[in-house]
Amino acid sequence: MKTTQKIAGDVKDMALADAGKRKIEWANQQMPVLQLIRKRFIKEQPLKGVRISACLHVTSETANLGITLRDGGADVVLCASNPLSTQDEVAASLVRDYGIPTYAIKGEDNATYYAHISAALEHKPQITMDDGADLVTQLLTKRTDLISNVIGGTEETTTGVIRLRAMAKDGTLKFPVIAVNDAQTKHFFDNRYGTGQSTIDGIIRATNLLLAGLKMVIAGYGWCGRGVAMRAKGLGADVIVTEIDSVRAIEAVMDGFRVMPMHEAAKVGDIFVTVTGNKSVLAAEHFGKMKDGAVMCNSGHFNVEIDIPALEKMSSAHRPARPFVEEYAMRDGRKLYLLGEGRLINLAAAEGHPAAVMDMSFANQALAAEYMVKNAATLGKQVYPVPENIDKNIAKLKLESMGIHIDKLMPDQEQYLASWDEGT
Ligand SMILES: NC(=O)c1ccc[n+]([C@@H]2O[C@H](COP(=O)([O-])OP(=O)(O)OC[C@H]3O[C@@H](n4cnc5c(N)ncnc54)[C@H](O)[C@@H]3O)[C@@H](O)[C@H]2O)c1
């Protein structure tokens, strides 16, 4: 690892820091709720002296979260939560301008990715912050000596929450973790509108394809899938949804999409987007049926949704066609295209979610960290929701920042809603 002299960290190039600083400041303007929290944190210092290791996508929005935690008194170290999602200029600026040790290089290999997580763990965190639970997994399996320092953690995404719940169930989890993903002000907006817009943005930046008129297959109609389908439809794509959950499949049908199994969709799709949190959603049987020129990408957390080893086996060669586009020559002469190495396409080829939506996600992260510091002693080794009052307050502040006012319940309405004998 290259290590900078003054502040620890491993970033691509410190000369990028000026561009990174401008990007961080630009994102900050779109994050009014986080700004309010930062102002209060500066005064109240709720995280004073608390060591936080954060394993998150290193983007301009994450930088603003890191700065907020630091301004609240925390001693913060940041590492990447995905080898391909880092904004190198932001990582450089975090080290040079904001004094936050950052371990993240876009395109880092697996060994470096885990070395960076190890470096963040060397910080001996009292609070862990994860996006996908890789930091906590390393801590609980490889650095058990550090467990006693930890008072609690937070988790950003659906896949991480699923992993943590499995750990809690079999007794592996050794401290409380707050499922930030499950806050309404997180997944209703970040997963749906954030992933919806930025996934399309990633596909377009990587390919420059015209989506209008193309058959676009979205695998998974969860929070993210709904967003991607909605935005693809808006651009004129003919959207097909695949699901394994019957309720969500009906929802997709009633939202106006065709629903069919992947083995049928594979034959007709021009672009495939997986966003399920599951593995091998696109696999050998599908690659065998796809049209010449079909494009595949993933926006789910891990790069296992598309079975890339199977694709490699079925092809005779592959080569880059454009940045973030790999062309696979199939043995029967067809060409299939894989975007962003099957990693989150919105972060690999675009910039991830817009700051306005990360404002709410990261407001949840900052307030969950504060809550954990105050309440960890009363919590067990479980996965907890973000307290409802925090969630609702973030929505209130976001509305205020947008200049939008809503009605208030009248006392008699409140009473009506609380009673069962009205209307008889
Ligand atoms: N790209 C991003 O920036 C981003 C943002 C948020 C979440 N995520 C990740 O995206 C993934 C989905 O998150 P979500 O919040 O939408 O989860 P979700 O649970 O709401 O939705 C997932 C959907 O996929 C369906 N599914 C599972 N296996 C399937 C299969 N084999 N074929 C078709 N459908 C299948 C499920 O039934 C479910 O409806 C997770 O990995 C999450 O961590 C990514």
Side-chain angles (χ1 to χ4, degrees):
M1 280 195 285
K2 300 172 270 139
T3 304
T4 50
Q5 292 301 311
K6 288 188 191 123
I7 295 156
D10 189 30
V11 301
K12 186 173 180 198
D13 183 357
M14 291 305 283
L16 299 170
D18 283 342
K21 187 160 191 294
R22 287 194 295 270
K23 210 165 174 174
I24 293 168
E25 288 169 359
W26 174 264
N28 183 46
Q29 290 172 25
Q30 301 293 320
M31 303 181 89
V33 179
L34 200 62
Q35 282 179 29
L36 282 176
I37 293 169
R38 191 180 306 150
K39 257 192 209 152
R40 179 172 67 75
F41 273 18
I42 288 170
K43 255 203 296 194
E44 297 177 7
Q45 294 290 290
L47 305 174
K48 194 164 178 52
V50 177
R51 293 188 303 278
I52 299 181
S53 296
C55 179
L56 302 169
H57 299 297
V58 179
T59 64
S60 54
E61 295 80 20
T62 303
N64 280 292
L65 170 64
I67 295 162
T68 304
L69 299 170
R70 181 205 66 179
D71 286 354
D75 181 2
V76 186
V77 163
L78 182 62
C79 68
S81 61
N82 183 292
L84 213 50
S85 64
T86 297
Q87 294 169 0
D88 289 317
E89 64 278 32
V90 167
S93 176
L94 276 168
V95 173
R96 189 194 71 180
D97 304 314
Y98 299 98
I100 297 178
T102 301
Y103 298 86
I105 297 173
K106 187 172 178 111
E108 61 196 19
D109 60 19
N110 245 18
T112 311
Y113 175 69
Y114 283 104
H116 284 163
I117 291 183
S118 296
L121 284 175
E122 276 308 325
H123 189 50
K124 301 185 174 54
Q126 293 164 295
I127 299 247
T128 61
M129 247 177 216
D130 251 313
D131 187 328
D134 277 351
L135 184 84
V136 165
T137 303
Q138 286 296 105
L139 192 145
L140 291 173
T141 55
K142 305 263 164 23
R143 292 302 308 268
T144 48
D145 57 308
L146 299 175
I147 294 173
S148 61
N149 298 309
V150 181
I151 60 168
T154 66
E155 170 55 52
E156 173 76 8
T157 198
T158 316
T159 286
V161 172
I162 291 170
R163 292 176 86 188
L164 290 162
R165 290 223 164 91
M167 287 180 198
K169 198 167 168 201
D170 73 10
T172 306
L173 191 63
K174 301 294 182 218
F175 42 81
V177 178
I178 296 182
V180 166
N181 180 71
D182 294 358
Q184 293 188 354
T185 47
K186 200 279 182 182
H187 68 278
F188 281 16
F189 304 97
D190 169 314
N191 300 31
R192 182 166 37 176
Y193 302 107
T195 311
Q197 176 170 315
S198 60
T199 298
I200 301 289
D201 185 15
I203 294 168
I204 292 175
R205 287 200 209 189
T207 63
N208 200 26
L209 283 172
L210 179 73
L211 300 193
L214 292 185
K215 292 194 170 44
M216 202 152 159
V217 179
I218 317 288
Y221 203 64
W223 289 102
C224 295
R226 291 180 187 114
V228 180
M230 171 173 50
R231 294 303 180 232
K233 184 181 180 178
L235 283 170
D238 174 8
V239 177
I240 296 167
V241 168
T242 71
E243 251 298 342
I244 46 112
D245 180 294
S246 45
V247 175
R248 290 197 161 167
I250 299 174
E251 193 184 348
V253 170
M254 295 211 179
D255 283 345
F257 301 117
R258 276 190 288 160
V259 175
M260 61 183 78
M262 186 59 91
H263 66 85
E264 282 178 26
K267 292 182 229 162
V268 293
D270 298 301
I271 304 179
F272 295 81
V273 185
T274 55
V275 69
T276 68
N278 206 345
K279 63 181 274 209
S280 303
V281 178
L282 285 176
E285 66 156 321
H286 310 119
F287 305 143
K289 291 178 178 152
M290 285 179 183
K291 296 195 290 195
D292 184 28
V295 170
M296 293 176 271
C297 66
N298 167 53
S299 214
H301 187 76
F302 284 119
N303 62 338
V304 296
E305 303 213 12
I306 301 171
D307 187 349
I308 300 170
L311 184 60
E312 280 175 358
K313 241 196 224 159
M314 290 172 72
S315 59
S316 52
H318 59 95
R319 58 166 197 173
R322 292 163 53 99
F324 306 111
V325 183
E326 193 73 5
E327 178 186 87
Y328 286 80
M330 308 305 278
R331 295 186 199 286
D332 58 12
R334 285 172 307 139
K335 293 199 167 74
L336 300 182
Y337 295 92
L338 176 68
L339 308 188
E341 300 171 18
R343 298 190 191 277
L344 301 143
I345 189 61
N346 60 332
L347 282 141
E351 295 176 54
H353 296 356
V357 87
M358 294 315 292
D359 188 26
M360 287 191 282
S361 307
F362 285 163
N364 275 291
Q365 283 285 7
L367 297 181
E370 178 185 33
Y371 178 86
M372 191 56 89
V373 168
K374 285 190 183 142
N375 297 285
T378 65
L379 303 176
K381 299 166 184 173
Q382 294 297 329
V383 179
Y384 290 90
V386 172
E388 199 186 338
N389 61 329
I390 292 183
D391 204 355
K392 288 268 187 270
N393 195 37
I394 289 171
K396 203 170 138 250
L397 293 174
K398 188 70 178 174
L399 275 177
E400 275 172 24
S401 78
M402 297 164 99
I404 295 170
H405 306 282
I406 60 171
D407 288 322
K408 276 200 177 82
L409 271 182
M410 305 300 284
D412 62 325
Q413 290 177 321
E414 216 166 315
Q415 197 186 340
Y416 174 77
L417 292 173
S419 68
W420 58 267
D421 58 350
E422 301 257 7
T424 52

